[in-house]
Amino acid sequence: MSVEVMQEEWLYSDVQVRALLERVRGHAGAERSVYPFIRIVAEQALRPSEARKMRVSDVVLPERGLGKLTARYRRTTRDIPLQPQFAEFLREWISEAGLREGDLLFPSRRGRPLSAPTYQRVWEQAQEAVLPRDELYSWRLGEPDLHPS
């Protein structure tokens, strides 16, 4: 199994990620799932293809302590621990969106997985609005990862 490693200089700083996520939250448009989708990809190091397929049943959210995500990519499964604040964010998202156990965690308005053009457009608009021109790299933040695999 090969592991892709990005040089640190090509990753966004925590400050840049926060600014981008704030922009996405305020400008996600009609697709309510875009912000939580991009946030989970950015903060939990998921591939978009993992997040797009994720179901509510793939999330363990105990009342206290760490939560857990189960991500699937090709034929591998990995568990991702969730800090309490992120577990609370997901708990609120699931409740607010009215999602049930077998539902997609980030459904489109029609209940299907979010389309790549939908979240890519919002991400690109956030980058253009937030970042200085010389820092615009569409593939940063693991952004080959924001393209479907």
Side-chain angles (χ1 to χ4, degrees):
M1 178 166 103
S2 70
V3 175
E4 293 178 34
V5 178
M6 295 186 78
Q7 294 179 353
E8 189 172 323
E9 67 200 49
W10 299 115
L11 299 176
Y12 289 136
S13 70
D14 288 343
V15 171
Q16 289 170 316
V17 170
R18 289 279 159 236
L20 288 162
L21 288 172
E22 284 302 312
R23 174 67 185 199
V24 168
R25 182 178 14 199
H27 296 86
E31 291 288 355
R32 297 180 345 174
S33 295
V34 169
Y35 171 70
F37 173 85
I38 289 177
R39 183 171 172 186
I40 203 168
V41 169
E43 293 184 359
Q44 302 303 313
L46 288 175
R47 293 174 184 90
S49 60
E50 291 172 320
R52 289 179 74 228
K53 296 173 193 170
M54 197 166 276
R55 299 205 170 264
V56 175
S57 58
D58 293 325
V59 183
V60 176
L61 300 171
E63 289 300 317
R64 291 198 167 128
L66 299 177
K68 179 180 80 168
L69 293 173
T70 300
R72 292 168 184 79
Y73 181 69
R74 297 189 179 149
R75 295 178 187 217
T76 62
T77 300
R78 63 186 176 117
D79 290 331
I80 300 146
L82 298 175
Q83 295 300 317
Q85 66 274 16
F86 201 85
E88 182 59 30
F89 168 74
L90 283 179
R91 189 178 291 110
E92 289 173 9
W93 162 246
I94 290 166
S95 175
E96 174 189 310
L99 301 175
R100 297 186 179 151
E101 191 74 12
D103 292 343
L104 287 168
L105 190 55
F106 307 110
S108 69
R109 285 181 290 176
R110 295 187 175 137
R112 297 183 186 125
L114 282 174
S115 71
T118 299
Y119 62 77
Q120 287 170 345
R121 182 180 64 251
V122 172
W123 181 247
E124 288 165 5
Q125 290 169 348
Q127 289 178 98
E128 290 169 5
V130 170
L131 300 174
R133 187 110 185 104
D134 64 332
E135 292 183 20
L136 290 176
Y137 297 99
S138 64
W139 42 272
R140 286 178 129 192
L141 179 63
E143 191 132 302
D145 288 345
L146 273 183
H147 298 318
S149 308

